[in-house]
DNA sequence: TCAGATGAATCTACACCGTAGACATTCGGG
DNA sequence: CCCGAATGTCTACGGTGTAGATTCATCTGA
């Protein structure tokens, strides 16, 4: 083993994550990250084959704060707790939120969380064949909610335009209160929807 | 009005869409699109302020093929039909699928589809305040499914790794058949889950 | 008929990006 | 002592989005 590395893969992800938090996603270029580490841009390629691979690792690292669910709670609470924790962790690092949304991390953290999800869903009484599918569905929903949050600010106006459609519907009640796109409230609503669906399916599977 | 424009905004989106279908998403650079139209790259900026804005328009245009739902069907069928149509339209243009997934289009087509969704959900018996929230949830889920489809090929291996977690669970049945990430089957499953959730909520709202 | 206005299309140029490929450096083991 | 080998560095290339100035074709009013 020649020349002990002065730069570990973890150093890189940690620094990149901080940089992304501080200056936004588009600041996480190879050159900027290297500058932050005070090393040559090309050195990063010793640890990650691509910029893509590096960002995957950074996104995964951002989920390290997500803890294990409490095994004593009923599955629905565990599920909400877990998914909320992931959402919070992702939003706490705005620089990588978009990346997490676009391609849910499957690094060590991602796999750990997926395992926890599967473990929780195993207690729902859902047919075994459906557990993994449900996991994917939940991850997909979570990812999408994050994507909505990322662009919420820029797009709320256009959503408002969509929402007026409802007001003009026969029987629709105009003057409804605003539903903020990507809000925590909105996330929780969809989650309850999904959990109700799981409950309905696990009780008596339909179709 | 001096000098009639030889280049319309729609020309651009149509050409860019074709180019993206033929050569992939990363081929849709300003220069390549301009080359395809046989004009100067900078000319595109007369019609779209950004590359971003241009791609938004292209993504929206890709949804033009989605038809209006049949008002005679029950709402659940209308919903599945509509969402499936959007999914098909998006997948038929692989060059923009990722973009559609990342930021659901809110151009004319997107708004038309959102309106159709709202119209359908208005018949569910769902509390009025929840209709728009459910719309957002469904769009989020659809977007997420598309995102999964995009990267399915590259990531199935790692998903396989996740799936083995389930096999090792006490009471888990190893040797389960493979669930292909982003497949139509997977999409349909989550959709049924959501519809069951809607049904449960519209019957007797819980919480 | 012709100057001028007006906006579309173009040209040039800049700063920046990811990264291939050759090179230098620094260590442990024989 | 030297050699193999992995790490860090340097240079350079082809590409990107797009700002700013400029050309050009057309319509208008005199």
């Amino acid at each position: 083993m020649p020349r002990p590395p002065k730069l570990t893969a973890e150093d890189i992800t940690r620094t990149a994550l901080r940089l992304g938090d501080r200056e936004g996603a588009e600041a996480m270029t190879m050159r900027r990250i290297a500058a932050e580490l005070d090393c040559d841009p090309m050195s990063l390629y010793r640890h990650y084959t691509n910029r893509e691979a590096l960002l995957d690792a950074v996104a995964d690292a951002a989920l390290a704060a997500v803890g294990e669910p409490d095994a004593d709670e009923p599955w629905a609470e565990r599920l909400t707790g877990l998914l909320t924790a992931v959402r919070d962790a992702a939003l706490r690092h705005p620089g990588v939120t978009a990346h997490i949304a676009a391609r849910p991390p499957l690094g060590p953290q991602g796999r750990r969380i997926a395992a926890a999800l599967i473990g929780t869903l195993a207690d729902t009484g859902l047919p075994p064949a459906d557990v993994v599918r449900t996991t994917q569905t939940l991850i997909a929903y979570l990812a999408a909610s994050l994507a909505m949050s990322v662009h919420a600010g820029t797009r709320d106006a256009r959503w408002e335009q969509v929402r007026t459609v409802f007001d003009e519907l026969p029987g629709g009640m105009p003057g409804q209160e605003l539903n903020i796109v990507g809000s925590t409230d909105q996330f929780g609503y969809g989650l309850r929807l999904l959990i109700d669906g799981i409950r309905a399916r696990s009780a008596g599977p339909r179709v």
Side-chain angles (χ1 to χ4, degrees), chain A:
Chain A
M1 316 280 109
R3 196 180 189 175
K6 80 168 187 185
L7 199 63
T8 76
E10 202 214 337
D11 285 340
I12 298 179
T13 54
R14 200 179 45 243
T15 306
L17 186 57
R18 261 214 339 244
L19 176 62
D21 289 345
R22 181 160 27 95
E23 309 197 22
E26 66 285 353
M28 295 194 298
T29 76
M30 301 304 262
R31 286 173 158 91
R32 297 279 287 102
I33 296 171
E36 209 76 11
L37 286 160
D38 200 49
C39 73
D40 190 274
M42 291 310 279
S43 299
L44 306 177
Y45 289 92
R46 295 281 165 197
H47 302 270
Y48 298 100
T49 63
N50 275 344
R51 180 177 121 102
E52 179 77 18
L54 198 161
L55 289 186
D56 281 352
V58 175
D60 193 74
L63 300 184
V66 178
E68 297 290 325
D70 180 1
D72 291 335
E73 289 181 326
W75 64 262
E77 272 75 6
R78 252 185 295 162
L79 220 56
T80 356
L82 192 54
L83 289 175
T84 307
V86 175
R87 192 180 109 103
D88 289 347
L91 290 179
R92 208 171 298 125
H93 298 285
V96 293
T97 317
H99 195 264
I100 293 176
R103 26 184 50 187
L106 288 177
Q109 301 300 331
R111 288 199 299 269
R112 177 178 66 87
I113 291 167
L117 264 179
I118 291 181
T120 301
L121 287 173
D123 296 347
T124 53
L126 219 51
D130 284 352
V131 170
V132 180
R133 296 206 279 185
T134 309
T135 307
Q136 289 185 27
T137 303
L138 288 172
I139 292 180
Y141 172 68
L142 174 60
S145 301
L146 287 174
M148 307 287 260
S149 299
V150 171
H151 308 295
T154 17
R155 292 153 75 79
D156 253 0
R158 285 202 274 172
W159 260 106
E160 210 38 36
Q161 211 171 338
V162 168
R163 214 180 56 79
T164 60
V165 171
F166 176 69
D167 297 340
E168 292 155 5
L169 233 51
M173 326 176 69
Q176 216 72 31
E177 83 285 1
L178 179 69
N179 287 299
I180 296 153
V181 182
S183 65
T184 303
D185 177 70
Q186 169 64 33
F187 171 70
Y189 175 78
L191 188 51
R192 286 196 297 274
L193 209 60
L194 281 164
I195 288 179
D196 284 353
I198 295 174
R199 205 172 264 131
R201 294 214 135 231
S202 55
R206 161 182 355 225
V207 165

